[in-house]
Amino acid sequence: FEDTLYWSDWVVMEILSCNKYTGKNFKTVVKEAGIHVRGVTVAHPQSIEPTLEAPCKSHHCSHVCLPEAAGSSGFKCACPSHMVLDATKTNCITDPTKSSVLIASSSSFYKLNPRVIGKLE
C-alpha cells in the first residue's frame, strides 16, 4: 500500500512489511500464536466502490491476480520472480532463463530461487 509492501509468511506465521522500493524498514506487523495468516488485503476508503464487482473474484490465475486501475473490471495474472506466464496468460511456469540454487543434505534436496526486493542499483 502506497510505499509499503505487505505479505504473509506461511513459515513463521507473521504479517511482514518493508519499503517496496528499497526493502528497508523491514518489520513484523502481526505475530499471533496459533493464527495461520494465508493472505493480506489492504483497502483504502477512497478505492472502495460498493457498486463495482471485484475483478479477481472469479479469476483463473494460478498464482497472483492483480486488478487493473480503479474503475476497471479487468485484471491480469502475475507470477513469482522465478516463473513466467504461459501462452494462456493465466498459468505460471518455471522460467528456464532464471538461475536457481540446488542444496543437498544427507537426506534432502532443496531448490532455491534467488529473489530481490526493491530496485536494483
Side-chain angles (χ1 to χ4, degrees):
F1 182 71
E2 295 181 350
D3 292 340
T4 305
L5 175 67
Y6 295 89
W7 70 97
S8 61
D9 186 315
W10 294 8
V11 176
V12 295
M13 294 183 280
E14 296 176 352
I15 297 176
L16 306 162
S17 71
C18 72
N19 181 286
K20 69 181 176 184
Y21 299 110
T22 65
K24 295 180 180 178
N25 301 323
F26 177 87
K27 63 183 173 182
T28 299
V29 179
V30 174
K31 181 176 185 169
E32 296 287 333
I35 295 178
H36 299 278
V37 179
R38 298 290 185 213
V40 176
T41 301
V42 177
H44 191 282
Q46 292 179 342
S47 67
I48 299 173
E49 296 182 37
T51 59
L52 292 178
E53 177 92 13
C56 290
K57 184 176 181 181
S58 59
H59 74 83
H60 300 288
C61 300
S62 65
H63 285 70
V64 177
C65 176
L66 300 171
E68 291 182 353
S72 170
S73 62
F75 67 88
K76 66 179 180 178
C77 299
C79 301
S81 61
H82 65 285
M83 301 179 92
V84 294
L85 288 170
D86 67 3
T88 67
K89 300 294 185 197
T90 58
N91 295 307
C92 296
I93 58 174
T94 301
D95 185 347
T97 65
K98 296 286 183 175
S99 299
S100 61
V101 177
L102 186 62
I103 300 173
S105 70
S106 61
S107 61
S108 301
F109 286 101
Y110 302 94
K111 183 178 178 184
L112 303 174
N113 299 295
R115 291 179 258 189
V116 175
I117 295 177
K119 294 181 181 177
L120 293 174
E121 298 290 328

